[in-house]
Structure formats: structure tokens, C-alpha cells
Amino acid sequence: MKKLLDLLSEEVGAAFEKAGYAKELGKVAVSNRPDLCEYQCNGSLAGAKQYKKAPIMIANDVAECLKESSAFEKVEVCPPGFLNLNLDGDYLKNFLNDMAKEEKFGLEAPSKKLKVIVDYGGPNVAKPLHVGHLRSAVIGESVKRIIRYMGHEAIGDIHLGDWGLQMGLIIAELKLRKPELPYFDEAFEGEYPEEAPFTISELEEIYPFASKKSKEDSDEGRAFKEDAMECTFKLQSGVRGYRALWKHILNVSVTDLKRNYDNLNVSFDLWKGESDVHDLIPGMVQYLKDGGYAYYSEGALVVDVKEETDTKEMPPCMILKSDGASLYNTTDLATIMDRMKNYHPDRMIYLTDKRQSLYFEQVFRCARKTKLVDEDTDLIHIGFGTVNGKDGTAFKTRDGGVQRLEYLIRDINEEMFKKISEGREMTEEEAKQTAKLVSLAAIKYGDLSNQPSKDYIFDIERFSSFEGDTGPYLLYTVVRIKSILKKYATQKLSEEGLEADEKAVSEALNKMVDITNGLHKSESESEKKLCMQLATFNAMMESAYEELAPNRICAYLYDLANAFNAFYHETKILSEEDEEKKLGYLRLLKFVQIVMESCMDVLGFSAPEKM
Ligand code: ARG
């Protein structure tokens, strides 16, 4: 279905043409003087030179021709030649009624269905998730859902950091603590135990401990680091016991990660990691050498990625270190190669902290130059800003440490539980479930409502407020609508002497309030505003997709919620006596509800029944 602004532009363009001017001049935009009109067209000013005519004359000619148009209830010419326009109520009603009949409210399916890999999350095995991991997960999940909602295929890949030095550090430390384990006995030929020799808590204690030790400026520290590097090397070259131990680390860690991401309503199609492409590296290195792309510089194998037009420093992309070890780049390039072979995506989108921007630029250039990707494969990095505390520096716990994501979410849930339990009639279980949904919306909306590249302040008090530009405010609006609708259905059922339990009410609602049965023409200013906001859905979703910007959807939702609440406060809905008119209102409410819920689903959170 066409976008409202495009339809209006066609309408005005036709009038320009009819009056003898170019139809391209008829571009309509939302008015920047909402006190004067809803839309405007400035084409007469643009055409003045070309037609050697005063803009006001052109505007008058066009306005004359617009008299026949059914799209506008008001066409006003304003000096020096603006066309001020107000939308016709019936035209708006018809637009919305068409929109209501479409599955995705008028969003058009793409002409070509693309396959997109979204690389997000990116946690490192055995390191607990902290608040810094939130953005990649939350924005990435939403970007994936936006792509799917548009009608493309999106594959989410977590790209675990599971192959580097952190693995060697853990193995080296385990070797010190539990030297009796069979994994360290090179003569051992039997089956290794199925049970991991550690729990997730032990693992999470071991990693920071070992990492700290390896950085110590002492003989012990240096020797330990040496050993950890050796362990990494042995693991990567396939020493049996080390591989078996690594598998345990991976399994224990992935089980825990899955639980954490589940709590965030984030899920991945692929749980691949850096380790998965290890065996592809020698072949890729050979290919890069054979193609004449890679050369040795001071012992390291590199590919130049500088371009003549560069104004900033662009170091070469390093493929192998001088000791022959592979790097972060190497696994990323091999992953690109692997993805091209197995999925052949049209695009790959990466979500990380923006401090990795230069890194991705190097990797992308290298992949392009060496033809690891096709010419038309899109490689995109979405670099996001930092999560800051109220003091404007990176978010920390009260004692200055790194806050574990799990505890942070748990604390927010508990606060929300208290808030929701107070003065509301709910069982404890219901309040818990509700608190979980509301806190998730608070956290996700707090993040997603910002432009991804900007830093933001993690202000949980503000995010959790039921008023203002927050997730809970949006949920509250949806809950309010649901409760009005339910009240209506309950009344109807009891009037007929029927039982009104939850199931009966929801079934009755589906029958009685069907948005495809049509809305009425708006009668009040606030109702029209609400309808106009609703009508921009397809245009909004399209630009959220084009810009890969969940914040667009957030802004739309907030405006829609405000428009709804303004309408609600000045309209008698359930007490409306004219039954037909009441039904029209209820359909509008339901329409707002389902559009809001669809948007929320694309953002990755949902509304409870009550709150
Ligand atoms: N594990 C990486 C990190 O902690 C993020 C991975 C992002 N994805 C990628 N393909 N490089 O920085």
C-alpha cells in the first residue's frame, strides 16, 4: 500500500500538471507550522524561476485545480506562495480502513527478498555478561526483527568469542588447581568424563583471577602468561585433552548464556563462534597469498587496505602474527568466507561498540579487495555508543566494579515487583510476571529510544517511570486500551446473561470489535490527530528498516501513545450512547493496540494484561 505522503504528493502533483506545471513540484510534507495546517507544499516557490511567474500565481492556479480533489478539506494559498493543506476526514478514514485490512498495516513486501546475517551479542565464553553487552543484544535483536518484519530473511548469529587467549588462561589455571585431571595427562588414551570438572560459578571466578594474574608484573605473572599462551596454542593445534576441556568450558558457558539471553527475550539462530572457522584459516591464508593480496611485513602476514582517498590513517589488515598465530581479524575474515559459502547472504550486519569501527572498516575493505565477498554483498557495521552512569562515565556498580548484567536485571525486576505489588490486586505470581515484562520494556526502550551511535545514561529510575518517554508508559497505554475493550465485552456478555470469564471475554471481543469492519470519520481534533499518526505506520517502518534504526519505531510509539491518551482524556467512549459510534471508537482503540503491540514485538518486548 502506498504511503500517505506519497498519495498526497500524487494528488497535488496532478493539480500542478493540470494547471500546466511540472507534477514533480507537488511534493507534500508534514507542516512545520502545525498551528496553520497539517501539510504543506512549497512547489510553487521552487517553480517560480522555471515558469517566470510569481509563486503566488502558480499556487493560485494549483489551488484552483485542487478544488476537485477529495484528499483535502482545506487548501489555502499563503504568501509568498505556500500551499497550506488539511486532510479530508473521509479520505483519512478510507486510508485507515484500507490499512486495517492489510496484514502488516500497509507495509509493502520488498521487490526482492534479501538474505541478511545479523552478527550480534558477541559475548566471550566464560566471561559473565555485563551492561556493555546489553546494547549489542538489544539493538541487534531489534534490527533482526525489523528486517524480518519487512519481509526479508534474517539469520542471527551470536559469534562467540571462544577461541582466544581467554581459553588458554582458563586451561592454564585449571592445570594449576586440578593437575590430577585426565585432560592434562598426555599419556591418557581413555574416554574423558562427560561431566565438566567445574560449575559456571567456578568458571566465572577462574577467568578474572587468571586474567589478572597474567597481567602481573612479576616472574610468576610472566610465567603464567607464557603457559597460558602455550595452552592456547596447544588447544588450537588440536591437543586432545585440551580440546575436551575446552568443550566443557564452552558447554557450561553456553548453557548459562542461553539462560541470560532468554531472560532478555533475545534468541539466535546460529550459535557459531570464532572456533568454528579455525580449520578454514590455512586454506584462506593460501588463497590470500596465491591471489597476491597478502605479503609479509616484519614477519607478519598482512593485506594493505589503504585507499588513495583516505584522510585518516588506515593500517594494513593483519592476517597472521609473526609467530604464525591468527588474530581477531583472521577469524572474522574466515567467518565471512564461511558465511558466503554456506549462506550466501546479500548483507552482513555487525553490531559492536563503535570503538571497533576502524577494525570493521579494515576487515570489510580486506574482504572486498580479496574478493572473499561478491561485489554487491553489503557489509555494514552498526557501532553503538557507551552505556554511562548518571555521572556521565561508563556505568559501574556502587563500589566501582563492573556490574553483572544478570544482577542488574534481577535488581530492576525486584524494584518493579515492589512497585507493581503496591496497591494492585494481583497474585504474587501475576505481579512477578508483570514486573518482568515491565522491567524488560524499561531497559530495552531506555536503550532503543536513543540513536544507536550515541552514548546514553542508564538511569533506571527514569526508565522505570510510568510517565514520560519510557517503555512502561507505552505498556501502560496498551493495558489501558485492553482494559477498556475488556470492560465493553464483559458488559455485553452480562447484558445477555452469559458468563464473562477471561476466555469468553476475549472471544467476544474478537467477534464484536473487528477493525476490518471500518472506522468512522474523525469528529474531534484529537481523534483526527490520532488517526493521522496511525496512518504513518508504513512510512515509519520503512525508514526504520532503511536506516536500521529502532529509535524510529520508539519515536512513533511515543507519539502514538500521546495522541491516544489525548483522545482518551477528552472522549466519552464506553458511555457513548450511540452504539454505532461507540463501536467505531472501539475499533480505533483496537487498531491502536495492535499497531502498538506489533511495534513492540519488533523492538523485542511486550505488554502485560494488567499493570
Ligand atoms: N567478542 C567480540 C568482543 O567482545 C565481539 C564480536 C563481534 N562480532 C564479530 N564478528 N567480530 O569484542
Side-chain angles (χ1 to χ4, degrees):
M1 197 174 140
K2 284 188 181 163
K3 289 171 271 186
L4 183 59
L5 269 185
D6 290 347
L7 287 168
L8 299 182
S9 296
E10 276 176 23
E11 221 29 59
V12 178
F16 267 91
E17 199 169 33
K18 192 152 177 250
Y21 307 102
K23 64 168 184 280
E24 289 69 29
L25 294 172
K27 211 168 156 35
V28 172
V30 173
S31 163
N32 53 21
R33 287 289 305 273
D35 54 323
L36 294 181
C37 57
E38 295 160 357
Y39 299 93
Q40 65 188 61
C41 169
N42 304 343
S44 312
L45 295 128
K49 217 173 176 181
Q50 185 185 347
Y51 296 103
K52 298 195 176 62
K53 253 189 187 176
I56 196 97
M57 291 170 73
I58 303 181
N60 278 328
D61 294 346
V62 175
E64 189 57 34
C65 293
L66 271 179
K67 275 192 182 147
E68 291 157 29
S69 163
S70 63
F72 302 104
E73 72 175 16
K74 180 183 95 174
V75 176
E76 227 171 50
V77 174
C78 204
F82 298 115
L83 283 165
N84 289 353
L85 310 163
N86 276 0
L87 197 58
D88 178 80
D90 281 309
Y91 189 90
L92 178 60
K93 176 191 85 180
N94 293 339
F95 183 88
L96 285 175
N97 286 339
D98 288 346
M99 185 178 154
K101 290 191 191 98
E102 299 216 9
E103 192 200 341
K104 288 182 187 166
F105 317 114
L107 184 70
E108 276 183 32
S111 51
K112 179 175 179 249
K113 185 171 170 166
L114 302 178
K115 191 190 273 187
V116 186
I117 292 189
V118 187
D119 179 316
Y120 68 108
N124 296 316
V125 163
K127 289 193 208 174
L129 297 177
H130 56 80
V131 71
H133 290 102
L134 196 60
R135 299 211 77 187
S136 182
V138 169
I139 304 172
E141 179 71 20
S142 176
V143 163
K144 181 186 75 182
R145 291 173 183 225
I146 292 174
I147 295 170
R148 284 196 185 145
Y149 194 82
M150 274 310 284
H152 298 290
E153 180 183 353
I155 304 169
D157 183 4
I158 189 165
H159 201 78
L160 290 170
D162 61 355
W163 205 229
L165 183 63
Q166 85 258 31
M167 294 295 153
L169 286 166
I170 296 168
I171 296 176
E173 181 60 24
L174 276 170
K175 198 164 59 168
L176 288 176
R177 292 189 190 189
K178 305 184 181 180
E180 70 289 353
L181 289 175
Y183 309 95
F184 304 116
D185 176 3
E186 285 185 19
F188 184 80
E189 284 181 351
E191 291 273 330
Y192 292 114
E194 268 182 38
E195 193 73 14
F198 40 72
T199 61
I200 184 69
S201 333
E202 282 174 85
L203 207 53
E204 289 181 348
E205 177 266 320
I206 291 176
Y207 174 73
F209 179 85
S211 166
K212 188 160 165 249
K213 183 155 60 169
S214 74
K215 287 176 193 141
E216 271 163 24
D217 185 19
S218 65
D219 287 343
E220 199 204 345
R222 279 183 286 272
F224 181 70
K225 172 128 195 228
E226 192 84 2
D227 191 40
M229 277 160 60
E230 162 116 10
C231 288
T232 313
F233 181 77
K234 280 192 178 161
L235 165 69
Q236 296 187 347
S237 31
V239 169
R240 199 173 147 256
Y242 286 29
R243 283 281 172 111
L245 200 50
W246 169 78
K247 271 251 174 300
H248 284 311
I249 303 176
L250 196 65
N251 285 340
V252 169
S253 185
V254 163
T255 308
D256 189 59
L257 284 171
K258 283 206 167 130
R259 192 176 51 80
N260 273 286
Y261 283 115
D262 268 354
N263 281 335
L264 281 171
N265 196 14
V266 167
S267 67
F268 300 92
D269 306 291
L270 301 176
W271 280 77
K272 293 210 173 202
E274 295 170 357
S275 66
D276 284 290
V277 296
H278 177 73
D279 295 341
L280 303 177
I281 292 175
M284 180 180 79
V285 167
Q286 198 56 49
Y287 164 83
L288 296 179
K289 284 183 184 165
D290 291 349
Y293 303 117
Y295 66 95
Y296 284 98
S297 163
E298 294 170 38
L301 188 71
V302 300
V303 173
D304 277 333
V305 291
K306 237 173 108 69
E307 284 166 15
E308 266 181 27
T309 48
D310 284 341
T311 49
K312 57 177 188 258
E313 175 119 32
M314 186 53 74
C317 192
M318 199 189 285
I319 309 294
L320 294 177
K321 288 201 279 192
S322 49
D323 61 3
S326 54
L327 306 99
Y328 187 38
N329 301 351
T330 328
T331 45
D332 257 326
L333 287 165
T335 302
I336 289 179
M337 193 173 87
D338 188 43
R339 287 177 181 161
M340 287 309 285
K341 180 162 166 256
N342 291 313
Y343 302 96
H344 210 93
D346 300 282
R347 309 177 109 180
M348 291 180 233
I349 302 176
Y350 296 77
L351 287 110
T352 74
D353 188 305
K354 66 181 173 201
R355 280 172 289 191
Q356 294 194 28
S357 294
L358 176 69
Y359 165 76
F360 277 106
E361 172 120 48
Q362 285 176 295
V363 170
F364 293 169
R365 284 191 186 189
C366 183
R368 216 167 270 302
K369 175 174 176 180
T370 61
K371 303 198 165 49
L372 287 177
V373 293
D374 296 344
E375 250 166 54
D376 56 0
T377 312
D378 259 344
L379 297 169
I380 298 166
H381 175 232
I382 300 179
F384 45 75
T386 315
V387 182
N388 287 329
K390 278 192 195 166
D391 63 355
T393 68
F395 187 86
K396 287 183 211 73
T397 54
R398 265 187 221 120
D399 54 18
V402 179
Q403 172 82 285
R404 283 183 65 151
L405 193 53
E406 191 174 354
Y407 300 159
L408 183 73
I409 293 175
R410 185 196 58 197
D411 294 351
I412 298 169
N413 273 340
E414 276 169 14
E415 277 304 307
M416 194 57 88
F417 174 71
K418 274 192 225 145
K419 193 164 165 176
I420 285 183
S421 309
E422 273 165 27
R424 284 183 178 77
E425 273 176 47
M426 264 192 216
T427 64
E428 188 175 330
E429 191 46 39
E430 252 183 322
K432 267 201 180 122
Q433 289 307 325
T434 306
K436 238 180 122 176
L437 292 177
V438 181
S439 354
L440 191 64
I443 297 172
K444 287 194 164 185
Y445 188 84
D447 187 320
L448 294 168
S449 54
N450 302 286
Q451 222 174 301
S453 62
K454 297 254 163 72
D455 298 351
Y456 78 94
I457 292 177
F458 196 86
D459 180 350
I460 201 59
E461 271 151 57
R462 186 173 77 73
F463 294 174
S464 306
S465 167
F466 284 20
E467 281 152 42
D469 189 5
T470 70
Y473 168 66
L474 301 177
L475 302 196
Y476 198 75
T477 304
V478 168
V479 168
R480 170 176 272 166
I481 297 179
K482 286 192 196 175
S483 104
I484 301 171
L485 291 170
K486 274 190 239 166
K487 208 162 164 189
Y488 171 77
T490 310
Q491 263 171 14
K492 282 276 152 194
L493 287 174
S494 26
E495 273 168 28
E496 289 170 38
L498 295 168
E499 202 181 338
D501 60 10
E502 222 173 287
K503 191 164 161 256
V505 167
S506 116
E507 279 173 7
L509 257 186
N510 285 340
K511 263 194 240 130
M512 292 189 278
V513 184
D514 177 351
I515 63 165
T516 61
N517 284 341
L519 302 181
H520 295 175
K521 179 173 168 176
S522 305
E523 285 184 351
S524 67
E525 187 75 6
S526 64
E527 187 179 8
K528 189 176 183 194
K529 281 218 170 100
L530 174 59
C531 288
M532 289 202 310
Q533 175 62 15
L534 207 48
T536 59
F537 175 83
N538 60 354
M540 174 285 295
M541 197 51 94
E542 218 178 275
S543 56
Y545 168 74
E546 269 155 23
E547 298 164 28
L548 298 172
N551 53 304
R552 288 259 177 198
I553 305 175
C554 294
Y556 172 83
L557 272 174
Y558 182 52
D559 289 344
L560 189 58
N562 283 337
F564 167 75
N565 285 310
F567 162 73
Y568 168 77
H569 284 301
E570 62 174 49
T571 315
K572 285 191 289 171
I573 298 171
L574 288 181
S575 55
E576 171 57 55
E577 275 153 22
D578 179 339
E579 191 61 22
E580 249 321 293
K581 194 163 160 190
K582 186 191 317 191
L583 266 176
Y585 285 151
L586 293 171
R587 286 184 205 125
L588 177 58
L589 258 59
K590 177 112 174 237
F591 202 169
V592 173
Q593 178 206 330
I594 57 182
V595 167
M596 283 189 78
E597 290 194 306
S598 303
C599 289
M600 288 178 183
D601 188 55
V602 173
L603 295 174
F605 57 84
S606 55
E609 283 306 307
K610 296 190 232 171
M611 73 186 260

